[in-house]
Amino acid sequence: MNESLQQALGVSGATPWEEPPAESSGWNHAWTAPMAALPEIASAFREAGYILELLTCQDRREDLEKMRLVYGFNAWETLDRHLIHADVDPGTPACSITHIYKAADWNEREVYDMYGVTFAGHPDLKRILLPEDADFHALLKDFGRMEDAEGGAE
């Protein structure tokens, strides 16, 4: 990892995980970062020549009362993969990075569609997989629970 990237991560408030990721995971580094710092972090990765490899979400409302956004950045030339977790309160918009990585467009739309996380600054945040009139987010852990169904579980 180059020095300017390491400095940008430190200045942004990103902290390395206490226990580094297992070698078998394929990630070389793992970080936890404040959501507000994601555009700055994404810019630093972009300037250092990294690609956005992954952007997804975890429903962590049961244990953390948060939604966790998961970002993966990779430098092909040196194979230097970084995993970044950034938590956001349910109902609070996350920061879009579409102005930094165009590829984030569909990833952010998928996270919105499947988890209900909105992205402030996204140019066209609308459903990408489910119908526009869907009134649910299919990957939330409480979606489709039998106890919530009409009549409840029997």
Side-chain angles (χ1 to χ4, degrees):
M1 171 174 29
N2 73 36
E3 198 173 304
S4 64
L5 180 58
Q6 184 141 12
Q7 182 180 2
L9 285 163
V11 169
S12 71
T15 55
W17 291 7
E18 285 183 24
E19 190 170 315
E23 187 175 318
S24 63
S25 74
W27 297 103
N28 303 100
H29 308 276
W31 306 85
T32 301
M35 175 50 63
L38 250 298
E40 178 184 348
I41 290 169
S43 290
F45 276 107
R46 179 75 182 212
E47 289 169 14
Y50 287 70
I51 63 163
L52 175 66
E53 182 177 356
L54 167 76
L55 193 172
T56 191
C57 187
Q58 296 174 346
D59 181 352
R60 300 298 301 266
R61 294 174 299 157
E62 286 183 12
D63 58 339
L64 300 175
E65 298 180 9
K66 304 277 185 190
M67 299 300 287
R68 174 166 287 163
L69 291 168
V70 181
Y71 297 81
F73 297 95
N74 188 5
W76 291 106
E77 297 81 26
T78 59
L79 190 59
D80 186 37
R81 297 177 75 214
H82 292 257
L83 182 69
I84 299 179
H85 287 177
D87 293 340
V88 64
D89 291 323
T92 301
C95 299
S96 177
I97 61 168
T98 56
H99 60 289
I100 302 158
Y101 284 101
K102 299 280 187 229
D105 185 326
W106 283 21
N107 296 97
E108 289 179 0
R109 286 178 58 194
E110 182 180 17
V111 168
Y112 163 67
D113 201 6
M114 296 288 108
Y115 293 93
V117 175
T118 59
F119 289 85
H122 190 283
D124 189 27
L125 192 62
K126 61 183 179 182
R127 290 189 179 270
I128 192 168
L129 299 169
L130 297 173
E132 279 295 322
D133 62 349
D135 63 352
F136 59 90
H137 301 284
L139 292 182
L140 291 175
K141 288 186 178 183
D142 55 5
F143 171 72
R145 293 185 323 180
M146 290 302 296
E147 53 271 16
D148 293 339
E150 193 172 315
E154 297 185 21

